[in-house]
Amino acid sequence: MTEAVTRRTPGAPCWVSLIVHGLTATQEFYSRLFGWEFEPGPAQLGPYVRALLCGKEVAGIGQLPPDRHLPIAWTTYLATEDADATAETIRSCGGTVAVGPLDAGHAGRLLLASDPSGAVFGVWQAAEHVGTALAGTPGTPVWNELVTRETASVAKFYQAVFGYGTEAVVSADFDYQTLHLQGRPVAALHGVGHALPRDRGPHWMTYFQVADTDESTARVVELGGHVLQPPREASSGRLATVSDPEGAVFTLVRPPGG
């Protein structure tokens, strides 16, 4: 996912964004955790900043209006060439379009939707802003995964909307499907059954690359965040699931050999 052309491929995860109550405090947290710097984003989205690493955009953070009380969560955006057509497909396949489609200035066009299980995701039609412009280095999003009860039914939804190929792990006790575009893995669906957190329901998880999972996990705590699952070894590297001070959950990963 290092080239702009692949991020533009319909269905490819192309951006992650977070909407919070305290924009300034949240910028401070991620700046100290990942080394992000910030610049203002499209004014049409209200108070909004784009996070930069090495001068390149890696994520977005916005501010909730004071009267809105929505779950604080990182949102994965999937690319499309036509947000309006994708919105119609989402509805016809049993999903819900909650916001949009609407223009974000000259940056592009977006919508927020939920799949039939209730997991929220974004759709981005790029104009001037293609999406995440840096990958493969600490502080960048490296993977996106839907954590849900079971994958079989929801996989049909994502296949119908975005045309993914799927590859399932053949295992009696591990419900996992990788989503492919043009023969390449771009995201995954992970069915966890009753292990799904009751307070969160099905959700898309953003994985951020780090140089040292244990060190970054300790840093999260120092900065006022929380550890939900302590560092552990997995096939994808050394992982830890954490949350920021407002409760947005994400996963830290040091890839194998990273």
Side-chain angles (χ1 to χ4, degrees), residues 34 136-143 206-217 229-242 250-258:
F34 292 141
T137 189
T140 61
V142 68
W143 187 244
T206 300
Y207 287 63
F208 289 100
Q209 184 169 332
V210 293
D212 184 320
T213 303
D214 297 70
E215 192 175 281
S216 294
T217 302
Q229 292 182 14
R232 60 203 184 276
E233 292 296 335
S235 58
S236 54
R238 188 159 177 80
L239 310 174
T241 305
V242 299
F250 56 100
T251 295
L252 304 170
V253 57
R254 180 181 184 270

Side-chain angles (χ1 to χ4, degrees), residues 196-209:
L196 191 72
R198 286 187 180 178
D199 58 335
R200 298 187 60 215
H203 57 277
W204 277 89
M205 175 75 77
T206 300
Y207 287 63
F208 289 100
Q209 184 169 332

Side-chain angles (χ1 to χ4, degrees), residues 166-215:
T166 61
E167 182 181 357
V169 173
V170 181
S171 169
D173 58 355
F174 192 55
D175 179 12
Y176 194 91
Q177 296 195 49
T178 306
L179 303 178
H180 291 256
L181 290 172
Q182 301 173 351
R184 295 176 56 193
V186 295
L189 312 176
H190 188 186
V192 297
H194 295 301
L196 191 72
R198 286 187 180 178
D199 58 335
R200 298 187 60 215
H203 57 277
W204 277 89
M205 175 75 77
T206 300
Y207 287 63
F208 289 100
Q209 184 169 332
V210 293
D212 184 320
T213 303
D214 297 70
E215 192 175 281

Side-chain angles (χ1 to χ4, degrees), residues 38-55:
F38 297 93
E39 67 176 19
Q44 291 83 352
L45 302 177
Y48 189 86
V49 293
R50 291 177 182 169
L52 308 178
L53 263 182
C54 307

Side-chain angles (χ1 to χ4, degrees), residues 80-193:
T80 184
E81 292 176 342
D82 187 332
D84 296 82
T86 300
E88 288 304 314
T89 307
I90 288 168
R91 292 187 187 101
S92 67
C93 292
T96 303
V97 177
V99 176
L102 54 88
D103 287 323
H106 298 295
R109 194 160 168 77
L110 67 89
L111 63 89
L112 286 171
S114 57
D115 67 26
S117 75
V120 173
F121 62 96
V123 175
W124 181 254
Q125 177 186 330
E128 290 181 2
H129 174 62
V130 175
T132 305
L134 187 67
T137 189
T140 61
V142 68
W143 187 244
N144 297 271
E145 186 170 290
L146 174 66
V147 182
T148 188
R149 288 185 181 82
E150 55 84 28
T151 65
S153 56
V154 79
K156 294 184 175 69
F157 168 82
Y158 287 100
Q159 285 174 295
V161 176
F162 295 106
Y164 296 120
T166 61
E167 182 181 357
V169 173
V170 181
S171 169
D173 58 355
F174 192 55
D175 179 12
Y176 194 91
Q177 296 195 49
T178 306
L179 303 178
H180 291 256
L181 290 172
Q182 301 173 351
R184 295 176 56 193
V186 295
L189 312 176
H190 188 186
V192 297

